Amino acid sequence: MSALLPSRRELDFQLFEVLDAGALAGAPRFADHDRATFDGVLDGAWRLAVERFAPHAALADVEEPQLRGHEVWLPAPTRDALRAAADAGYFAAPFDASLGGLQLPWSVAQAANAVFAAANVGFYGYALLTVGAANLLAAHGSPAQVERYVRPMVAGRWFGTMCLSEPQAGSSLADVRTAAVRAPDGTWRVTGSKMWISGGEHELADNIVHLVLARVSGGPPGVKGLSLFVVPKFRLRDDGTPDPQARNGVRCIGLNHKMGWRGTVNTVLAFGDQGDCVGELVGEEHAGLRIMFHMMNEARIGVGLCATALGCAGYVAALDYARHRPQGRPLGERDPASAPVPILRHADVRRMLLAQKAWVEGALSLVLYCARLVDERRIALDAGDAAAAREHEGLLELLTPVAKSWPSEYCLEANKLAIQVHGGYGYTRDYPVERLYRDNRLNAIHEGTLGIHGLDVLGRKVRQDGGAAFAALGRRIASTVQAAAAEPELAPLARQLGGTFDRLAATTRRLVAAVRDVGPERALANATPYLDALGQVVVAWRWLEQARVALAARPATPGEAAFHAGKRAAARYFFRYELPRVGPTLELLDSLDDTALAMPDDGW
């Protein structure tokens, strides 16, 4: 089987037909590019993914990262693949030209990243972290920090991490204990330990730039007392190059061995326990968590992209297997001597494949739409249109928990069905789908659990700025509904989506009011089902948009006609099998059910 990549036709459809990314070249920021440039970026990603990433996707299952002393050993192809991606400009793709970047649209860069993640998510994780850390420093670092750290990260010579969690704190960042004390020279001395740090130690790059949340003495308690520090693995010489003989007091003291993503080493780090650990403050004191959210939110959408890519890879594998595996006969065929048919002919296999298609292509549409919002926000800022920039930013903030969580759940379900399509072979290592499932299972926990994102979206995002972002989402959905209603084939779907969103909006108002009337504990007790309902509605919207584009297409070949027909069939599936599940969830939410809260502590 060839590399398990999302089809190029699918990415072209999502990126250029649904999102019209080619039009971005008309903005001054992207004026040096055109559709040919964007195609070249995707073509190059395909080649690198096939040649450097995909052949080693299963390598970490048999050659896991190892801690040798305080150094982490990784298989050699890891460095080779990442070096090739950096040299080809894929780390630099979205960054400003002034920083050595290619200044490409974020949506185009994310489409290329989906290819890398599908090919080998364990390798891709290092690039995801590095680009996110460099983006944070480019936005919030001092000019000296940008020059010192961002440029080598954009070039892919140095890698980055985010160091938030601690052994005793987990996701509760209010309980972070790592401390920072100012030194006479204006730098800081960092002491403490961090847990679950992806890419925290390795020899893949000339240096590692750790972004560390820590407390400054005298700061307020809880998350308001956290500050952010940049801590390099190696101290820098006067010319800005790292000194391999000058370790900066950061030690790897353990590895976390995970069920998936094994190629991305996950570490326990100690700071300053054996020699000074020198850090530089990023931004202002006690603004650390606010600044860190710049990277966290980007990483959350990145996790959604990885979940989507893994779901796509499983779907590609299952579809290929179903087309080529002969087994059984049609239900009406009674002659046992007749030839077996490919399992694609069996109704239940078709159902499972259609479910996978609906989930993974819906998720891809969602994460690429979020990337397009990043581009639109930047274009609005360049044009001085503050109101448009605020709307794009608000929508992105509202959709970030959805873009992280919905693909993490439903593309994992797609991977589960991919195993089922393979039958007994599915849970053997003879086929890739068991590995893809293991890799994807981590994404429901990566960058915050479903429960945390449910609390975020219902407790904060839908109420933010008086509900402005939720209202903007409603207007965009209504615009699609109105346009689709003019097409007889799509009119029933348009009515269904419009009615479901109205119900969702009413439930949202009820739950927001309940926070005030009955208290947050009960009002938010079922925040995770609310997140799921919101995600189903948003993905239904993205499917209706895809169906509109597919219906309006004028295919030139039978293959194109079949592609667009498949899009419309998958949209119908989503509206018939998935969106109706929202109704019972909203009924439960409207009741302010407290079953989980009412369970006695000694009743388990």
Side-chain angles (χ1 to χ4, degrees):
M1 183 188 298
S2 60
L4 302 176
L5 307 182
S7 80
R8 178 58 189 275
R9 182 65 189 91
E10 175 64 22
L11 277 185
D12 284 350
F13 175 77
Q14 299 271 13
L15 197 58
F16 300 116
E17 296 177 48
V18 177
L19 295 176
D20 194 20
L24 292 170
R29 174 173 176 77
F30 307 120
D32 289 341
H33 304 297
D34 56 20
R35 173 64 189 270
T37 306
F38 302 156
D39 284 338
V41 168
L42 296 178
D43 290 342
W46 238 270
R47 285 193 299 272
L48 273 176
V50 170
E51 295 170 3
R52 298 300 187 99
F53 283 75
H56 312 293
L59 183 61
D61 282 341
V62 293
E63 298 181 24
E64 279 195 77
Q66 299 176 23
L67 184 60
R68 298 176 176 176
H70 296 296
E71 304 288 338
V72 173
W73 176 90
L74 292 163
T78 316
R79 174 188 284 271
D80 297 340
L82 291 166
R83 182 73 267 152
D87 289 346
Y90 287 96
F91 283 57
F95 289 94
D96 289 356
S98 61
L99 294 174
L102 304 183
Q103 207 158 304
L104 283 162
W106 187 243
S107 50
V108 175
Q110 286 290 75
N113 290 339
V115 177
F116 292 126
N120 190 327
V121 76
F123 285 11
Y124 168 71
Y126 299 97
L128 184 155
L129 288 162
T130 300
V131 170
N135 267 326
L136 181 150
L137 288 172
H140 300 283
S142 68
Q145 288 170 338
V146 170
E147 188 66 26
R148 196 157 43 239
Y149 298 108
V150 175
R151 286 186 176 278
M153 294 169 79
V154 168
R157 299 194 306 273
W158 299 5
F159 286 5
T161 74
M162 53 194 304
C163 300
L164 290 78
S165 297
E166 297 180 2
Q168 83 291 340
S171 297
S172 180
L173 297 180
D175 298 317
V176 162
R177 297 174 186 166
T178 298
V181 177
R182 189 191 298 270
D185 64 358
T187 61
W188 298 75
R189 300 298 178 266
V190 179
T191 56
S193 62
K194 294 291 182 180
M195 182 76 160
W196 309 116
I197 309 307
S198 294
E201 176 56 53
H202 53 72
E203 300 302 317
L204 301 174
D206 296 339
N207 208 352
I208 302 174
V209 179
H210 300 290
L211 296 178
V212 183
L213 281 181
R215 295 191 181 281
V216 174
S217 179
V223 296
K224 294 182 179 179
L226 296 174
S227 300
L228 184 63
F229 298 87
V230 57
V231 177
K233 172 183 175 178
F234 296 117
R235 295 181 188 174
L236 307 185
R237 303 184 180 98
D238 290 342
D239 63 0
T241 59
D243 183 352
Q245 305 305 313
R247 294 293 296 249
N248 189 28
V250 184
R251 290 194 310 131
C252 179
I253 58 175
L255 300 185
N256 299 305
H257 296 281
K258 306 164 298 178
M259 68 182 289
W261 280 64
R262 291 178 179 172
T264 304
V265 62
N266 192 274
T267 63
V268 186
L269 299 180
F271 295 83
D273 67 331
Q274 293 185 5
D276 284 347
C277 178
V278 179
E280 300 175 30
L281 181 68
V282 180
E284 300 175 354
E285 290 184 29
H286 315 312
L289 188 58
R290 176 182 59 80
I291 296 172
M292 183 58 97
F293 265 114
H294 187 111
M295 183 176 181
M296 288 168 66
N297 283 333
E298 182 178 323
R300 285 167 173 173
I301 295 178
V303 167
L305 181 76
C306 290
T308 299
L310 291 165
C312 287
Y315 170 57
V316 170
L319 183 58
D320 181 80
Y321 185 84
R323 282 173 168 159
H324 296 99
R325 166 66 170 173
Q327 183 177 316
R329 294 156 184 83
L331 291 179
E333 176 58 68
R334 299 184 180 276
D335 182 3
S338 63
V341 297
I343 62 172
L344 182 62
R345 294 276 303 277
H346 300 315
D348 197 55
V349 172
R350 298 170 77 85
R351 176 193 63 82
M352 290 190 287
L353 290 169
L354 193 49
Q356 291 175 66
K357 180 180 176 69
W359 289 330
V360 303
E361 293 177 9
L364 184 62
S365 185
L366 168 62
V367 294
L368 290 180
Y369 180 80
C370 288
R372 179 62 194 260
L373 285 175
V374 174
D375 293 329
E376 291 178 2
R377 175 182 175 273
R378 186 56 186 262
I379 291 169
L381 286 173
D382 290 347
D385 190 342
R390 280 196 303 273
E391 178 169 315
H392 299 321
E393 178 69 21
L395 267 171
L396 187 62
E397 289 190 7
L398 174 64
L399 292 177
T400 292
V402 180
K404 186 273 177 189
S405 301
W406 197 92
S408 298
E409 279 291 284
Y410 286 92
C411 291
L412 179 67
E413 288 296 304
N415 287 132
K416 184 173 77 175
L417 289 186
I419 292 173
Q420 194 75 10
V421 168
H422 282 73
Y425 286 113
Y427 53 79
T428 72
R429 293 190 180 182
D430 296 336
Y431 289 86
V433 287
E434 63 86 25
R435 170 178 53 81
L436 295 170
Y437 182 91
R438 286 188 288 104
D439 283 339
N440 220 349
R441 184 60 189 86
L442 275 65
N443 288 316
I445 295 176
H446 275 157
E447 299 307 323
T449 63
L450 295 174
I452 286 173
H453 287 288
L455 291 171
D456 180 39
V457 77
L458 182 56
R460 285 187 288 270
K461 297 298 174 57
V462 298
R463 300 189 295 145
Q464 202 164 275
D465 297 327
F470 191 84
L473 175 65
R475 289 193 297 272
R476 296 195 178 202
I477 290 176
S479 175
T480 299
V481 165
Q482 182 178 9
E487 301 290 344
E489 179 180 326
L490 302 181
L493 309 187
R495 289 193 296 271
Q496 184 183 356
L497 178 57
T500 305
F501 181 80
D502 289 344
R503 287 197 62 196
L504 174 68
T507 297
T508 302
R509 290 191 294 270
R510 176 166 173 72
L511 293 173
V512 168
V515 172
R516 177 192 67 239
D517 298 339
V518 303
E521 190 166 28
R522 183 171 178 185
L524 301 178
N526 291 299
T528 300
Y530 177 86
L531 173 64
D532 181 71
L534 176 60
Q536 294 285 61
V537 170
V538 169
V539 175
W541 166 48
R542 300 314 307 154
W543 263 117
L544 188 58
E545 194 67 35
Q546 290 186 68
R548 282 186 59 235
V549 173
L551 187 62
R554 296 293 178 264
T557 66
E560 281 292 287
F563 175 86
H564 291 113
K567 280 290 175 185
R568 286 153 38 212
R572 288 196 301 275
Y573 176 91
F574 197 91
F575 275 76
R576 291 176 181 177
Y577 285 77
E578 298 297 324
L579 190 58
R581 298 180 185 181
V582 174
T585 301
L586 296 180
E587 290 177 8
L588 176 70
L589 290 166
D590 286 338
S591 73
L592 299 179
D593 182 75
D594 65 349
T595 300
L597 293 174
M599 175 70 174
D601 287 349
D602 58 359
W604 300 100

